[in-house]
Amino acid sequence: MAVKFSPQAVKEFEETLARYPHKEAALLPVLLLAQREFGVLSDELVQYVAGLMDLPPSRVKSVVTFYTLFNTREVGRYVIRVCHTLSCALNGTEEVIEHIKKRLHIDVGETTPDKKFTLLECECLGSCNTAPVTQINDRYYENMTLELVDQILDSLE
Amino acid sequence: MEEKILLKYIDVPDIEKIEVYQKHDGYKGLAKALKQHKPDQIIELVKASGLRGRGGAGFPAGLKWSFVPKDSGKPVFLCCNADEGEPGTFKDRLLMEKNPHQLIEGIVITAYAVNCHQAYIYIRGEFSQAMKVLEQAIEEAYEHNCLGKNILKQGFHLELSLHSGAGSYIAGEETGLLESLEGKRAEPRLKPPFPASVGLFKGPTVINNVETLSNVPHIIMRGPEWFKGFGTEKSTGTKLFCLSGHINKPGVYELPMGVPLKELINNYGGGIIGGRKLKAVIPGGSSTPVLTAEQVEEVAMDFESLQAAGSMLGSAGVIVMDETTCMVDALANLTRFYAHESCGQCTPCREGVSWMAKIARRIEEGKGLEGDLELLLDICDNISFKTLCPMGDAAIGPVVSFITKFRSEFEDHIRQGRCPIEKDKSIKVRG
């Protein structure tokens, strides 16, 4: 099945291009849009975006692999990013990570077999005052405790 | 109670809405700027205020603006650096989530001063909440004629767009930011040319931090002399200090530049968690050299005082470490961060920082070798000033200072073949 933007995404794509004097500058927002539409930036999707942007696929791929928020392989419906930089580390983030690993029976970097959760460690989320901090998809969960981990994981459908 | 500038209205309900912001002096600075001042006068006022960049380097803002050539014939761009990523720093996120119009107002005034008609806010991709708030605020600003054509009917026009990053620390370096905004890998550029002459899309470009720009409306409204009434002679104004780590009340505190670090930690931060002893403090974000507990007793939080103490104010991200902290473990954590974030362009940084991370980790794990400390310092020497951007030197800041100031702790690890510190890395529940 060939990838193709939905009409809504095409509209958003065109609005995005209008914000920049050069088309190329829209690459990051367009890739974020593509990822929202399809979940993972597969080689096929990279080719498609490259076509839309009039860029060589290799050029697009080099950008995709540079930034941490782009998914180059399949992830679960919920991507859990646990901050493990210093302020979070001083405030117990290792306990949070160990607890999630145990609950989901996966290691860092893995996805649950039902494709619901992917567990990742990430660098500073810029919320050190509420350490330890975890981001699940777009949302920050702050002042994490083990009880909170359980509550949050139970609440996600 | 200290007078606040940036956080004065932070707790006013709905201050993120333009009607509420306008009721609290909002956009009055912009009206005054457009009606009463020529662009050059704005630059002079900001120069006179002594406002220095709040992103880390502390460069005088007005002076930076004055470097923009007037006759290049190319469009001028303004980029607000909202890629807040220096570990220990979380002030810009607060300003954007709570008072977005203060930032937008600062952007419009700055754009007017440098004759710019297209501005971008480059925001880190993780800050979804701040993006949502800013998008809404930008829309309101357009509706209320504070952005767009003929702003406040004074003939000035400005387009402002929000641009999301996608996860990269180095995109916060100003030329890395420009590359990223042009749709490329955030690989910093060689300087010169400086962005003021050749920046975004090869046009003259001003890049300022969120906190810097948020100060501008207040300087225009109340004048440079008033602003200089805060802080020290050379570090004027207030500063948003970010307190985190082993502290009772972590958070963002707005205080005059020059506040004693000890006062910040004890009076505002409520002291060390669990009544424990202080061991060390990183004063200005993870790249600034660490201070010992003895140094904390004496140092003040402004550009000059911290420089005199051998460190830097940086982004004012204060990370507090108590006696249960293993300095080797903490260094291994920070070097891993920098190894992860190196863009890979320059060999000394790409290779050297990874080596430092591996060596620091092996010392922590009890596998350190005789000579490892000399090796680490030698790697630092081979990185220092040998990279395109300041990232290499940022990465060695903690290494040199940790080893110099806590050398015996590193040696104990190597000699004993284990970590001798009783670490407490448990979850801390605060009252």
Side-chain angles (χ1 to χ4, degrees), chain A residues 19-22 24-29 32 59 61-63 65-70 84-87 89-96 122-132 135 137-140 142-146, chain B residues 85 87-90 93 120 124-128 161-168 170 180-186 201 243-246 250-251 282 319-321 325 330 333-334 336-337 340-341 343 424-428 430:
Chain A
R19 296 203 298 265
Y20 304 92
H22 298 278
E24 198 176 347
L27 183 57
L28 260 66
L32 288 166
R59 164 81 177 73
K61 183 92 180 177
S62 82
V63 167
T65 53
F66 186 84
Y67 297 93
T68 55
L69 294 181
F70 291 135
H84 68 161
T85 316
L86 189 55
S87 292
L90 296 173
N91 281 290
T93 212
E94 278 177 25
E95 282 189 27
V96 173
C122 71
E123 298 297 349
C124 190
L125 287 169
S127 190
C128 319
N129 52 327
T130 56
Q135 186 178 28
N137 291 352
D138 278 354
R139 188 169 158 194
Y140 276 33
E142 303 170 86
N143 297 305
M144 291 291 276
T145 60
L146 302 189
Chain B
T89 316
F90 41 88
R93 181 170 152 243
Y120 294 96
R124 67 179 288 193
E126 290 87 346
F127 284 177
S128 313
S161 305
L162 192 61
H163 182 98
S164 170
S168 162
I170 201 62
S180 184
L181 192 38
E182 290 182 0
K184 301 170 194 156
R185 296 158 71 93
F201 310 125
L243 276 182
S244 72
H246 292 141
I282 295 173
I319 305 174
V320 177
M321 292 174 272
T325 311
N333 185 296
L334 291 177
R336 183 209 60 224
F337 170 82
H340 181 262
E341 299 298 340
C343 82
D424 173 12
K425 292 169 83 178
S426 65
I427 294 172
K428 314 287 187 295
R430 293 171 170 85

Side-chain angles (χ1 to χ4, degrees), chain B residues 132 180 222 255 316 346 405 413:
Chain B
K132 231 181 277 171
S180 184
R222 305 183 70 176
L255 294 162
C346 312
K405 292 175 186 175
H413 276 73

Side-chain angles (χ1 to χ4, degrees), chain B residues 198-246:
Chain B
V198 183
L200 188 65
F201 310 125
K202 298 197 169 62
T205 303
V206 170
I207 303 149
N208 282 133
N209 170 262
V210 170
E211 186 185 348
T212 314
L213 291 166
S214 295
N215 269 298
V216 173
H218 304 283
I219 293 171
I220 300 306
M221 269 310 286
R222 305 183 70 176
E225 288 309 315
W226 164 81
F227 189 79
K228 280 161 71 178
F230 297 90
T232 69
E233 193 193 336
K234 288 185 177 163
S235 299
T236 58
T238 60
K239 180 79 195 77
L240 300 187
F241 296 103
C242 313
L243 276 182
S244 72
H246 292 141

Side-chain angles (χ1 to χ4, degrees), chain B residues 99-325:
Chain B
N99 200 346
H101 284 290
Q102 177 175 254
L103 171 62
I104 295 170
E105 187 177 1
I107 289 173
V108 186
I109 298 171
T110 306
Y112 172 66
V114 298
N115 195 26
C116 153
H117 302 292
Q118 173 70 61
Y120 294 96
I121 300 175
Y122 184 103
I123 184 166
R124 67 179 288 193
E126 290 87 346
F127 284 177
S128 313
Q129 176 60 20
M131 273 190 248
K132 231 181 277 171
V133 174
L134 273 169
E135 263 168 21
Q136 181 66 33
I138 290 172
E139 207 179 302
E140 286 177 353
Y142 271 104
E143 282 164 11
H144 285 73
N145 192 221
C146 295
L147 280 172
K149 294 197 169 66
N150 196 14
I151 291 173
L152 303 180
K153 300 197 174 59
Q154 298 303 307
F156 177 64
H157 77 271
L158 176 69
E159 303 296 329
L160 174 63
S161 305
L162 192 61
H163 182 98
S164 170
S168 162
Y169 168 75
I170 201 62
E173 194 278 336
E174 59 176 12
T175 60
L177 183 149
L178 296 177
E179 288 288 301
S180 184
L181 192 38
E182 290 182 0
K184 301 170 194 156
R185 296 158 71 93
E187 292 171 346
R189 297 175 183 171
L190 183 66
K191 291 190 272 192
F194 290 93
S197 48
V198 183
L200 188 65
F201 310 125
K202 298 197 169 62
T205 303
V206 170
I207 303 149
N208 282 133
N209 170 262
V210 170
E211 186 185 348
T212 314
L213 291 166
S214 295
N215 269 298
V216 173
H218 304 283
I219 293 171
I220 300 306
M221 269 310 286
R222 305 183 70 176
E225 288 309 315
W226 164 81
F227 189 79
K228 280 161 71 178
F230 297 90
T232 69
E233 193 193 336
K234 288 185 177 163
S235 299
T236 58
T238 60
K239 180 79 195 77
L240 300 187
F241 296 103
C242 313
L243 276 182
S244 72
H246 292 141
I247 187 103
N248 275 317
K249 291 192 279 179
V252 179
Y253 296 90
E254 181 176 16
L255 294 162
M257 287 271 197
V259 64
L261 179 52
K262 194 180 158 188
E263 196 180 313
L264 181 62
I265 292 171
N266 293 330
N267 300 8
Y268 295 92
I272 311 302
I273 199 159
R276 288 172 179 158
K277 235 174 90 190
L278 179 68
K279 185 170 192 176
V281 174
I282 295 173
S286 61
S287 62
T288 59
V290 70
L291 303 171
T292 62
E294 293 74 48
Q295 286 181 295
V296 170
E297 290 292 314
E298 289 159 12
V299 80
M301 295 296 283
D302 59 81
F303 292 109
E304 287 69 33
S305 304
L306 279 160
Q307 198 179 359
S311 189
M312 286 184 287
L313 180 63
S315 57
V318 181
I319 305 174
V320 177
M321 292 174 272
D322 74 16
E323 57 191 326
T324 69
T325 311

